[in-house]
Amino acid sequence: METFLIKTVQLLLSLSILVIVHEFGHFIFARLFKVRVEKFYLFFDPWFSLFKFKPKNSHTEYGVGWLPLGGYVKIAGMIDESMDREQMKQPPKPWEFRSKPAWQRLLIMVAGVVFNFILAIFIYSMIAYTWGTTYIPFKNAYAGMEYCQSAKEIGFRDGDIPLTADGADLGFMSSETLQQIVEAKQVQVLRNNDTVTIAIPKDFMLRLIDKEEQFAMYRIPPVVYEASANTGAQRAGLLKGDRILSIDSLATPSLDELHQVLSTRHDTTVTVAYLRNGALQTTAVATDSVGNLGILISPLVESYEVVTEHYGFWESFPKGIELGVSKLTSYVNSMKYVFTKEGAQSLGGFGAIGSIFPERWDWESFWSMTAFLSVILAFMNILPIPALDGGHVLFLLYEVITRRKPNEKFMEYAQMCGMIFLLALLIYANGNDIVRFFFK
């Protein structure tokens, strides 16, 4: 229950920040061009609101709705989600959206998307400034990677170290690196000191999505962190930093393989070969009733050499731009999979979004996820779908090119169709969450 609450609070806080910034973009540009904003709401308020106030001499009512599905600004003289037909039947007023030049209306509509992307860049910049960027280069992961079944079926083997994708160097495991791999025709890996080329099928990403598999993870090498008291490992003299190479001459390059070998060696004595300060040594170790040696394993950040890049305040902004553009490019490239059967089945709603936040509160992870969601919100909102900013932009571009406005009745119907489509998509995505929760 505590984990659920922590994830829920993170999700609501993150979405609230994104919605406020997005709507503030529309608001500030509307006020810049002297367009009245009648409402500025976090969350939606059908029938009633949780909180509202209207400052003296202001045309704007500020409030918090009860339905946490986003937020909105109600701009005077605009066909939007409020569907205020009565206002649109009145003659245009000078302060209304529809009375302004097309270029001003266009800037008002794209401002939300632009503000979300700027927010993402700013957050990534501050993450780089505060925490730097930390990663484990593939070349430092001497035990290699552990691959999913779909990856093994096309030729990857546990322990392979990725080198290049279509000739481009692969640095470390990330969503961008995965995109490079699945989009490549061939990937080169280091296997037992030999370079091996693996052909990547065009539908490889769809296979991963269909089976809900994670392509690869860093292998955990069996490096001793601590020998527990009164165990065979302690009595044999195993120390922190000892890297176990084999058990009874059976190689154990990873923790999984160590467990496999020991699973058949209960209450016995095994010969352990290990590396200490670069020197190979062996010792006899007694196992317990379930085959344990009695050791704790070192975390990855102690087993592998970790690279941390630090940035000064001004240096962090180019890094933030780089990360923002990289995340956006990767997300846009992945969108083509949504229009497949496997991709559609993988769509998720608020449950799926909430699940990606960490189980314990961690500010670096929270801000990193918020920045990524801001990138997603910016891209999704600019799609040319009526009821989204991109739909309004599409009609405005039509007006700029043809020098005539689309029929207002047509705009109303288009807005209604867009809202129905988005509602159906919302129900479908959250329905997928429910199906996955109960049946998978």
Side-chain angles (χ1 to χ4, degrees):
M1 186 54 141
E2 182 183 356
T3 296
F4 174 77
L5 289 175
I6 290 174
K7 285 177 175 282
T8 301
V9 170
Q10 290 182 91
L11 174 63
L12 289 175
L13 178 58
S14 178
L15 291 181
S16 297
I17 293 170
L18 300 184
V19 168
I20 289 172
V21 170
H22 180 91
E23 300 304 336
F24 182 73
H26 294 311
F27 174 84
I28 198 68
F29 269 77
R31 298 305 300 130
L32 180 66
F33 297 128
K34 296 181 170 52
V35 177
R36 286 186 184 175
V37 178
E38 298 173 354
K39 284 187 172 184
F40 189 140
Y41 263 70
L42 171 64
F43 306 149
F44 293 109
D45 61 328
W47 306 298
F48 69 93
S49 59
L50 299 178
F51 167 79
K52 63 181 179 181
F53 78 99
K54 190 173 184 179
K56 188 177 180 180
N57 300 324
S58 173
H59 298 287
T60 307
E61 176 184 292
Y62 302 88
V64 178
W66 61 271
L67 189 61
L69 298 179
Y72 70 99
V73 288
K74 186 179 184 303
I75 298 174
M78 175 182 169
I79 299 172
D80 58 12
E81 56 268 21
S82 67
M83 298 302 291
D84 191 346
R85 293 188 177 91
E86 292 304 315
Q87 185 183 70
M88 300 305 294
K89 289 178 182 178
Q90 304 301 317
K93 309 293 192 304
W95 62 79
E96 289 186 336
F97 179 82
R98 54 181 167 166
S99 301
K100 300 301 178 180
W103 69 270
Q104 292 185 3
R105 285 179 279 134
L106 184 62
L107 288 177
I108 291 171
M109 292 317 305
V110 300
V113 168
V114 171
F115 269 51
N116 271 134
F117 191 60
I118 291 174
L119 174 65
I121 289 174
F122 178 75
I123 293 175
Y124 281 131
S125 298
M126 292 302 97
I127 289 174
Y129 173 67
T130 305
W131 292 285
T133 55
T134 300
Y135 57 91
I136 300 173
F138 287 133
K139 64 181 182 180
N140 293 354
Y142 54 78
M145 308 294 290
E146 187 174 303
Y147 297 89
C148 68
Q149 185 58 36
S150 294
K152 291 177 181 177
E153 288 173 359
I154 67 169
F156 287 96
R157 296 290 178 267
D158 287 342
D160 287 352
I161 300 174
L163 299 176
T164 64
D166 283 347
D169 291 339
L170 297 173
F172 58 96
M173 199 65 236
S174 65
S175 57
E176 291 74 29
T177 298
L178 174 60
Q179 195 75 41
Q180 279 184 272
I181 291 172
V182 299
E183 297 285 339
K185 294 181 180 178
Q186 59 182 28
V187 170
Q188 286 191 325
V189 299
L190 185 65
R191 181 183 299 168
N192 298 327
N193 297 320
D194 292 325
T195 300
V196 177
T197 300
I198 299 170
I200 307 297
K202 291 182 178 180
D203 66 342
F204 183 46
M205 188 62 172
L206 296 180
R207 298 186 196 183
L208 297 176
I209 294 172
D210 185 42
K211 295 182 179 179
E212 298 182 2
E213 291 180 313
Q214 184 176 346
F215 168 65
M217 297 182 295
Y218 287 97
R219 244 176 164 192
I220 302 175
V223 177
V224 177
Y225 181 75
E226 181 183 58
S228 301
N230 300 317
T231 62
Q234 186 192 51
R235 289 189 289 271
L238 291 180
L239 301 176
K240 181 177 181 178
D242 291 346
R243 178 186 166 195
I244 299 175
L245 301 179
S246 68
I247 302 290
D248 292 341
S249 299
L250 296 174
T252 55
S254 73
L255 182 60
D256 281 348
E257 284 156 311
L258 177 68
H259 285 160
Q260 289 174 19
V261 174
L262 291 174
S263 66
T264 59
R265 287 161 169 76
H266 305 168
D267 285 323
T268 187
T269 299
V270 296
T271 300
V272 177
Y274 60 96
L275 207 60
R276 176 181 293 174
N277 298 325
L280 178 63
Q281 300 187 36
T282 60
T283 187
V285 181
T287 64
D288 62 16
S289 59
V290 291
N292 289 330
L293 299 175
I295 59 173
L296 298 178
I297 298 298
S298 295
L300 284 178
V301 293
E302 292 197 16
S303 298
Y304 296 141
E305 183 182 348
V306 177
V307 173
T308 300
E309 297 176 353
H310 297 283
Y311 302 89
F313 182 75
W314 297 114
E315 292 175 321
S316 68
F317 289 99
K319 185 62 180 180
I321 294 172
E322 177 191 327
L323 288 171
V325 171
S326 175
K327 294 292 183 183
L328 178 61
T329 303
S330 178
Y331 187 74
V332 171
N333 288 337
S334 69
M335 280 300 294
K336 60 176 175 285
Y337 301 113
V338 172
F339 303 102
T340 65
K341 177 184 175 182
E342 296 84 356
Q345 290 174 345
S346 72
L347 284 176
F350 293 108
I353 298 172
S355 67
I356 62 181
F357 284 94
E359 296 181 356
R360 296 183 178 181
W361 197 284
D362 178 83
W363 280 112
E364 183 179 2
S365 298
F366 170 79
W367 286 117
S368 181
M369 287 311 310
T370 299
F372 183 54
L373 290 176
S374 196
V375 170
I376 293 175
L377 184 61
F379 174 74
M380 296 300 291
N381 256 289
I382 204 62
L383 292 176
I385 299 172
L388 294 178
D389 295 344
H392 292 286
V393 169
L394 180 66
F395 294 133
L396 283 166
L397 289 175
Y398 168 83
E399 181 182 341
V400 169
I401 294 170
T402 63
R403 298 185 180 278
R404 61 178 183 177
K405 291 184 177 182
N407 182 275
E408 286 190 358
K409 213 62 178 171
F410 169 77
M411 294 278 285
E412 284 184 17
Y413 289 137
Q415 184 78 10
M416 289 176 60
C417 289
M419 290 174 66
I420 292 171
F421 171 75
L422 293 176
L423 180 61
L425 186 62
L426 185 67
I427 293 171
Y428 175 79
N430 285 282
N432 277 349
D433 286 348
I434 294 171
V435 170
R436 279 191 287 266
F437 181 80
F438 284 105
F439 300 105
K440 292 189 179 181

